[in-house]
Amino acid sequence: LARTVPARLHRLSRRWLVLVPAGVVLHDHLVLGETVMVQKRNITRIAVVADAGESADLTGGIAGQRIAVEIRESEKVVLSPITAKTLGTSIALHVNGFSFAPRRMNDALAALGQ
């Protein structure tokens, strides 16, 4: 138990939303098989929504408000095997939008300029 619990908690701490000059990077190894990188020029809208709607749900099953990112040109999103199984879809998706649920919603929105 002393070995397993810290390792699992550390995995939860490795979920990041990173804003870089070129755009947005979403790193979440629990939900994604590969990091999602979207260029700023490809983002058409960022908004707070109650559910995923038409966009790919990258929240990992979190209920409540989430941030939806709509993109102009479809991007390839690679899901982790367990996420693909849970959603009943293939591992790789081409999406025109995705949603995620940051723990600190207001800080994420401020950083995104919303």
Side-chain angles (χ1 to χ4, degrees):
L1 207 60
R3 182 182 290 185
T4 305
V5 171
R8 292 196 181 195
L9 288 176
H10 176 66
R11 289 186 75 195
L12 289 174
S13 72
R14 293 177 36 215
R15 301 172 81 184
W16 306 314
L17 168 66
V18 182
L19 302 174
V20 295
V24 176
V25 177
L26 186 62
H27 174 81
D28 186 348
H29 67 286
L30 298 175
V31 175
L32 300 169
E34 294 179 4
T35 301
V36 174
M37 295 175 273
V38 181
Q39 292 183 347
K40 193 182 299 184
R41 63 182 165 88
N42 198 19
I43 297 173
T44 57
R45 191 182 114 167
I46 298 173
V48 177
V49 295
D51 62 3
E54 296 282 324
S55 64
D57 186 2
L58 305 180
T59 62
I62 303 298
Q65 288 189 324
R66 58 199 71 210
I67 296 176
V69 177
E70 292 179 11
I71 49 183
R72 186 171 293 117
E73 299 171 15
S74 65
E75 295 277 343
K76 180 181 175 183
V77 174
V78 178
L79 303 174
S80 70
I82 194 159
T83 302
K85 185 177 180 181
T86 302
L87 295 176
T89 187
S90 64
I91 296 239
L93 303 173
H94 289 279
V95 300
N96 289 323
F98 59 90
S99 61
F100 60 95
R103 187 175 66 99
R104 296 180 354 201
M105 180 72 72
N106 293 335
D107 291 339
L109 289 171
L112 289 166
Q114 300 299 310

